[in-house]
Amino acid sequence: MKNRAVRFGVVLGGAMVVLTSCGSSKSPSMIDSKGNEAKHIAGVWWLMFTLAAAVYVVVAGFIVYAIRRRHSDQQEPQSDQADTGAQRFDDRMIVWGGVAVPLVILLVLAVVTVRTTDALRRPERNALRVEVVGKRWWWAVTYPTARFTTANEVHLPAGRPIELGLTSDNVIHSFWVPQLAGKLDMIPGQRNILRIRASAPGVYEGLCAEFCGVQHAHMMFTVIVQTAGDFDRWLAQRSQPPLEPASESAAQGAVAFNRLPCAGCHTIAGTQANGTLGPELTDIASRRDLGAGTVTNDPENLARWITDAPSLKPGALMPPIAMTGSEVQSIVAYLESLK
Ligand code: CUA
């Protein structure tokens, strides 16, 4: 009976190890690495996993062996000589299995970890600087060379070294794109540097990895890695102020935007709107989501967001704003024109 329970435990443990290592393909997995830094980290992960699995198999084997031995000892007691032999074997196992092997394993892991951390921090020349500030609960993303700021989306060129300057102006957040690099805290009054070199174009999910308040779970972002050429074109286009509203409705929206409280908190390049409390809206129409990954950016959600953001994201700092139906419509038309 005991024997079966132990075997069951061994199989269950093994199954759990396998299951927890297979994530769903939708959620970002740090072992599905798409960048230089993430590859380093995944390497350490696989080494730790392999060593842990080997230790697990050996220990489980010894447990099964010990139970069998006790079982046979009970049925036919051993001679004194055999008992002393078994005792000597046990002592040797404690020295090797309990002290020597764990020491070697921990030493190997320590050396590999220190070397990997070193490699992740090594500065690269000609790195593209991008500054990200953790807000409640969204991300302000600035490209200092282009003097352009956006929110909740980080465009990066593939193959080029990136230096992300991370900070916060409120509480501590943590910037994490599992497929590209390790997580790094964003601390008020301190600029931490995260280095990334994405290997291929693609869209990667990012998230806040440090509990930061009521909407921590809705503090996501998207990293869009483009070819170097596409990225340069994107940045050049973004550096220009948006075009004048083309439609009548959008033009009315621009007027309403500046009359209502919107412009006090948001900036739209090339207009009088220059608030800094909320996300910059210069390219709002081109972004995929609203509220840092809370809902898809479509006209319906946008209308609901601008009138009552807390109904979509409880705790969002933008208060409900009273406006007429036509004001909502025209402001949505205006924001939809900002690409
Ligand atoms: Cu920001 Cu959690």
Side-chain angles (χ1 to χ4, degrees):
M1 186 64 210
K2 225 180 197 175
N3 224 332
R4 264 169 70 191
V6 169
R7 262 191 227 161
F8 177 72
V10 170
V11 171
L12 187 71
M16 276 169 70
V17 168
V18 172
L19 281 176
T20 47
S21 62
C22 312
S24 104
S25 59
K26 265 191 180 167
S27 65
S29 163
M30 46 74 62
I31 48 174
D32 178 23
S33 48
K34 301 286 187 222
N36 181 42
E37 287 68 21
K39 276 198 184 97
H40 277 292
I41 295 169
V44 177
W45 189 90
W46 278 112
L47 176 68
M48 289 174 94
F49 176 75
T50 310
L51 288 171
V55 168
Y56 175 81
V57 169
V58 170
V59 170
F62 276 123
I63 292 174
V64 173
Y65 169 73
I67 286 170
R68 285 212 168 147
R69 207 173 82 178
R70 173 182 273 195
H71 199 63
S72 64
D73 278 1
Q74 278 167 351
Q75 276 169 355
E76 38 184 295
Q78 302 281 311
S79 68
D80 279 359
Q81 206 180 353
D83 253 2
T84 322
Q87 183 65 47
R88 225 178 286 143
F89 174 76
D90 290 351
D91 289 348
R92 243 179 296 152
M93 282 315 296
I94 289 172
V95 173
W96 282 100
V99 181
V101 174
L103 239 140
V104 171
I105 290 178
L106 291 177
L107 202 72
V108 167
L109 286 179
V111 170
V112 171
T113 306
V114 168
R115 288 187 59 159
T116 306
T117 313
D118 230 37
L120 295 180
R121 286 194 186 144
R122 209 167 294 142
E124 294 212 51
R125 267 191 294 163
N126 309 323
L128 172 78
R129 243 182 77 207
V130 183
E131 302 294 325
V132 185
V133 183
K135 301 281 189 173
R136 278 180 309 162
W137 289 270
W138 54 280
W139 314 80
V141 183
T142 304
Y143 295 80
T145 48
R147 297 187 184 181
F148 165 71
T149 297
T150 181
N152 306 328
E153 272 185 16
V154 186
H155 285 247
L156 298 177
R160 253 173 88 182
I162 313 291
E163 179 189 308
L164 283 158
L166 305 179
T167 189
S168 163
D169 62 5
N170 45 88
V171 296
I172 297 175
H173 304 274
S174 178
F175 184 96
W176 193 24
V177 197
Q179 287 172 284
L180 295 181
K183 61 181 95 159
L184 191 61
D185 277 359
M186 311 174 96
I187 299 167
Q190 182 176 324
R191 181 177 180 267
N192 285 341
I193 295 174
L194 182 70
R195 299 186 189 281
I196 287 185
R197 190 199 285 259
S199 43
V203 177
Y204 307 106
E205 299 303 324
L207 57 141
C208 179
E210 178 75 47
F211 181 70
C212 54
V214 64
Q215 280 298 333
H216 161 69
H218 279 147
M219 190 168 168
M220 290 163 286
F221 60 98
T222 309
V223 177
I224 297 159
V225 176
Q226 300 165 291
T227 61
D230 283 352
F231 173 80
D232 288 341
R233 270 189 292 281
W234 173 83
L235 198 57
Q237 192 210 332
R238 283 295 179 279
S239 313
Q240 308 293 325
L243 301 169
E244 289 290 313
S247 72
E248 176 82 7
S249 174
Q252 283 169 2
V255 175
F257 187 91
N258 287 306
R259 190 181 62 236
L260 289 162
C262 319
C265 291
H266 297 278
T267 291
I268 294 172
T271 74
Q272 352 161 352
N274 59 3
T276 53
L277 221 55
E280 170 123 0
L281 300 177
T282 307
D283 64 341
I284 177 72
S286 67
R287 293 187 217 147
R288 293 160 189 243
D289 300 307
L290 297 172
T294 305
V295 288
T296 316
N297 184 8
D298 59 34
E300 206 175 300
N301 284 333
L302 192 55
R304 195 165 156 203
W305 185 266
I306 60 175
T307 46
D308 191 3
S311 74
L312 290 167
K313 184 171 177 171
L317 298 187
M318 180 160 81
I321 294 164
M323 29 180 134
T324 65
S326 68
E327 277 172 337
V328 175
Q329 254 179 6
S330 61
I331 290 178
V332 167
Y334 174 49
L335 295 177
E336 288 285 314
S337 75
L338 301 173
K339 292 184 177 159

